[in-house]
């Protein structure tokens, strides 16, 4: 007690505050706070990848009916195993095995509370004292935040915009040392909209084998490829180097709020078992939350019964949106796109500040854009590329045209005379 008042011994963990500051949500909320409340126009969200708000991106009735049936069956009101219920794990294994040269077992599949928990699990398992992990730049800042919280050192290899955002494999080799445990690739790319070729992914696997590290393959945008390069899962090369595949139903089925993801072992040679990674992964899942059992109960029907017409419709809308985005960006002199997106939901554009008056960097550009035009765009600094922008094209086409038109008007107002 001090002067009759208690001296409280608890404090908030500053690591959590620091980690959340570098997330997309944290920056997006900051931009939202700068919206002009007197602007009657609808805000155009070009800053995050959740198209579920738009009717044209509504999920398939097959998925909705599967959820309803799972709830009404009363079979999924109980706790489930920490790695996920067997029918759902078997369904995920069968779904992913369609594109692999070998067959996955349900034991290779671990269900997670969205793909973000799969990321958390992968990094936590690898966070031994002194270990480091190689992350792409630009990349998804959730990896940076979770690695920092887990005391896992991060090092950054470049994605090369003049080569379709391919991995700088020479840079990967230069970064790695005896304490490097893994490298992360995101394919299709967030934030670049790239899709890696079979040949490039094979080189990634060969580089990982040479360095003695695993590949963490974030494939949450898996199959959302609409350009000339088909999507190839990294697990195809699991016999060259062990692969942890992270994915979910969030993006392909447009249901990010359902929070059903997976972490899958692509390791026919059993290296991850021999090194204790699988045992550590089970330990992590034993002390963390798991996805709702009724969502898991719906997974077999969702994965097995969704027809190709739904997937084709989503791909068609994304392709048209990417075309609109590419065309409209060319009308805005202060931003340039090095590579038209071929997959995913985003494109990276370079900001030419020399053409603008009174704007010093990408963050100020985005804050002023939000305030003056009610358009939210993500500053590139958040994904590791200062004075670039990440633009989402996965929204209603009319809203996309409107948003890009407002960016053009913003440029014209701030252009150097």
């Amino acid at each position: 007690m001090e002067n009759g008042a208690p001296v409280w011994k608890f404090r908030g963990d500053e690591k959590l505050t620091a980690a959340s500051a570098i997330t997309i949500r944290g920056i997006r909320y900051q931009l939202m706070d700068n919206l002009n409340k007197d602007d009657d126009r609808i805000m155009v969200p070009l800053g995050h990848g959740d198209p579920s708000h738009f009717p044209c991106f509504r999920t398939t009735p097959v998925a909705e009916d599967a959820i309803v049936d799972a709830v009404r069956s009363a079979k999924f009101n109980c706790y489930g195993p920490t790695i996920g219920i067997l029918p759902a794990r078997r369904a995920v294994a069968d779904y992913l095995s369609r594109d692999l040269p070998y067959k996955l077992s349900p034991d290779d599949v671990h269900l997670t509370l969205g793909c973000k928990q799969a990321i958390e699990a992968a990094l936590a398992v690898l966070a031994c004292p002194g270990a480091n992990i190689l992350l792409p730049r630009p990349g998804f800042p959730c990896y940076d935040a979770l690695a920092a919280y887990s005391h896992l050192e991060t090092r950054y290899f470049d994605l090369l915009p003049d080569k379709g955002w391919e991995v700088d494999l020479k840079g990967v080799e230069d970064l790695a040392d005896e304490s490097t445990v893994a490298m992360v690739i995101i394919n299709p790319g967030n934030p670049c909209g790239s899709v890696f070729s079979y040949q490039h992914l094979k080189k990634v696997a060969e580089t990982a084998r040479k360095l003695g590290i695993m590949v963490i393959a974030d494939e949450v945008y898996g199959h959302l490829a609409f350009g000339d390069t088909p999507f190839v899962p990294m697990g195809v090369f699991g016999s060259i180097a062990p692969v942890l595949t992270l994915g979910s139903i969030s993006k392909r089925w447009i249901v990010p709020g359902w929070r059903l993801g997976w972490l899958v072992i692509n390791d026919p040679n059993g290296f991850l078992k021999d090194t204790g990674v699988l045992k550590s992964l089970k330990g992590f899942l034993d002390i963390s939350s798991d996805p709702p059992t009724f969502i898991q109960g719906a997974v077999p029907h969702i994965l097995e019964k969704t027809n190709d017409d739904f997937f084709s419709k989503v791909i068609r809308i994304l392709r048209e949106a990417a075309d609109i985005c590419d065309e409209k960006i060319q009308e805005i002199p202060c931003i340039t796109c090095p590579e038209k997106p071929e997959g995913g939901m985003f494109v990276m554009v370079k900001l030419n500040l020399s053409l603008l008056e009174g704007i010093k960097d990408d963050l100020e550009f985005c804050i002023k854009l939000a305030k003056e035009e009610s358009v939210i765009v993500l500053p590139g600094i958040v994904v590791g590329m200062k004075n670039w922008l990440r633009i989402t094209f996965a929204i209603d086409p009319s809203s996309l045209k409107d948003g890009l038109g407002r960016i053009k008007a913003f440029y014209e107002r701030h252009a150097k005379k």
Side-chain angles (χ1 to χ4, degrees):
M1 301 287 286
E2 186 175 301
N3 297 325
V7 178
W8 302 116
K9 299 177 180 178
F10 45 81
R11 292 288 184 275
D13 187 344
E14 293 181 358
K15 293 198 303 297
L16 283 174
T17 307
S20 66
I22 59 174
T23 62
I24 289 174
R25 283 185 180 180
I27 295 295
R28 193 159 53 85
Y29 291 151
Q30 181 183 343
L31 296 175
M32 297 280 283
D33 288 342
N34 281 276
L35 291 171
N36 182 356
K37 295 178 174 56
D38 296 325
D39 190 337
D40 293 332
R41 294 175 296 178
I42 294 174
M43 185 270 290
V44 181
L46 301 180
H48 70 297
D50 183 2
S52 65
H53 297 285
F54 299 94
C56 65
F57 281 103
R58 181 169 177 170
T59 193
T60 171
V62 171
E64 296 172 342
D65 292 343
I67 295 291
V68 172
D69 291 345
V71 171
R72 287 182 170 164
S73 74
K75 296 178 181 177
F76 305 105
N77 296 333
C78 55
Y79 292 120
T82 55
I83 59 174
I85 64 174
L86 179 58
R89 289 188 289 116
R90 181 183 294 118
V92 172
D94 291 345
Y95 167 70
L96 296 178
S97 293
R98 297 173 196 170
D99 301 311
L100 298 174
Y102 52 89
K103 186 169 177 58
L104 293 169
S105 154
D107 292 338
D108 295 319
V109 177
H110 306 76
L111 299 185
T112 57
L113 200 56
C115 192
K116 187 176 288 187
Q117 191 190 45
I119 297 172
E120 183 182 6
L123 299 189
V125 163
L126 295 174
C128 297
N132 68 72
I133 188 170
L134 310 183
L135 301 180
R137 181 175 53 208
F140 182 45
C142 181
Y143 285 94
D144 308 67
L146 291 171
Y149 188 65
S150 296
H151 302 289
L152 180 60
E153 181 192 344
T154 51
R155 300 178 182 181
Y156 299 90
F157 58 86
D158 290 324
L159 303 181
L160 305 172
D162 58 340
K163 293 186 177 180
W165 297 105
E166 285 189 345
V167 174
D168 178 4
L169 293 172
K170 173 66 165 56
V172 168
E173 292 193 36
D174 291 342
L175 284 170
D177 62 17
E178 291 303 311
S179 298
T180 304
V181 292
M183 63 180 292
V184 172
I185 64 165
I186 305 174
N187 183 46
N190 174 12
C192 303
S194 54
V195 179
F196 294 145
S197 69
Y198 179 99
Q199 294 78 9
H200 185 61
L201 291 171
K202 186 178 182 183
K203 289 178 183 177
V204 169
E206 289 168 347
T207 301
R209 182 182 182 89
K210 178 180 178 181
L211 298 173
I213 64 176
M214 74 169 72
V215 179
I216 298 174
D218 186 328
E219 296 177 357
V220 72
Y221 293 95
H223 293 282
L224 295 183
F226 43 80
D228 295 331
T229 307
F231 168 69
V232 176
M234 190 69 210
V236 166
F237 309 101
S239 59
I240 298 176
V243 176
L244 292 184
T245 297
L246 317 183
S248 79
I249 62 173
S250 297
K251 307 300 183 180
R252 196 179 189 199
W253 276 266
I254 323 290
V255 287
W258 291 9
R259 313 310 297 145
L260 191 288
W262 51 75
L263 188 158
V264 174
I265 308 301
N266 295 104
D267 182 30
N269 298 313
F271 296 130
L272 298 180
K273 181 179 180 181
D274 295 343
T275 54
V277 171
L278 293 189
K279 187 175 181 181
S280 295
L281 177 60
K282 185 178 185 305
F284 175 88
L285 295 173
D286 281 345
I287 61 171
S288 59
S289 301
D290 36 279
T293 314
F294 73 90
I295 303 283
Q296 297 184 50
V299 164
H301 193 84
I302 292 172
L303 297 186
E304 293 162 12
K305 301 299 182 182
T306 299
N307 60 51
D308 289 339
D309 290 345
F310 169 73
F311 296 135
S312 297
K313 174 193 168 189
V314 171
I315 290 296
R316 176 178 53 79
I317 295 172
L318 288 174
R319 182 184 294 115
E320 291 174 0
D323 289 342
I324 291 169
C325 199
D326 187 60
E327 176 187 331
K328 295 298 182 184
I329 284 170
Q330 293 180 43
E331 299 175 2
I332 307 170
C334 67
I335 56 176
T336 54
C337 176
E339 185 77 13
K340 183 179 176 181
E342 289 203 328
M345 298 180 178
F346 309 101
V347 62
M348 287 293 288
V349 297
K350 190 170 186 178
L351 185 59
N352 187 346
L353 293 168
S354 69
L355 299 180
L356 298 167
E357 194 77 57
I359 295 177
K360 68 177 184 293
D361 59 24
D362 54 325
L363 180 57
E364 185 175 17
F365 180 96
C366 292
I367 289 173
K368 288 186 174 181
L369 179 66
K371 188 174 295 184
E372 297 177 24
E373 295 290 348
S374 291
V375 174
I376 301 295
V377 166
L378 197 72
I381 190 68
V382 183
V383 297
M385 295 280 277
K386 186 176 177 60
N387 295 332
W388 287 64
L389 306 172
R390 190 194 77 167
I391 296 176
T392 305
F393 53 82
I395 69 171
D396 175 80
S398 62
S399 298
L400 179 60
K401 291 176 185 177
D402 181 24
L404 292 169
R406 295 189 205 177
I407 296 176
K408 182 180 180 181
F410 178 83
Y411 159 73
E412 291 171 347
R413 193 162 55 253
H414 289 274
K416 282 186 177 176
K417 308 304 182 192

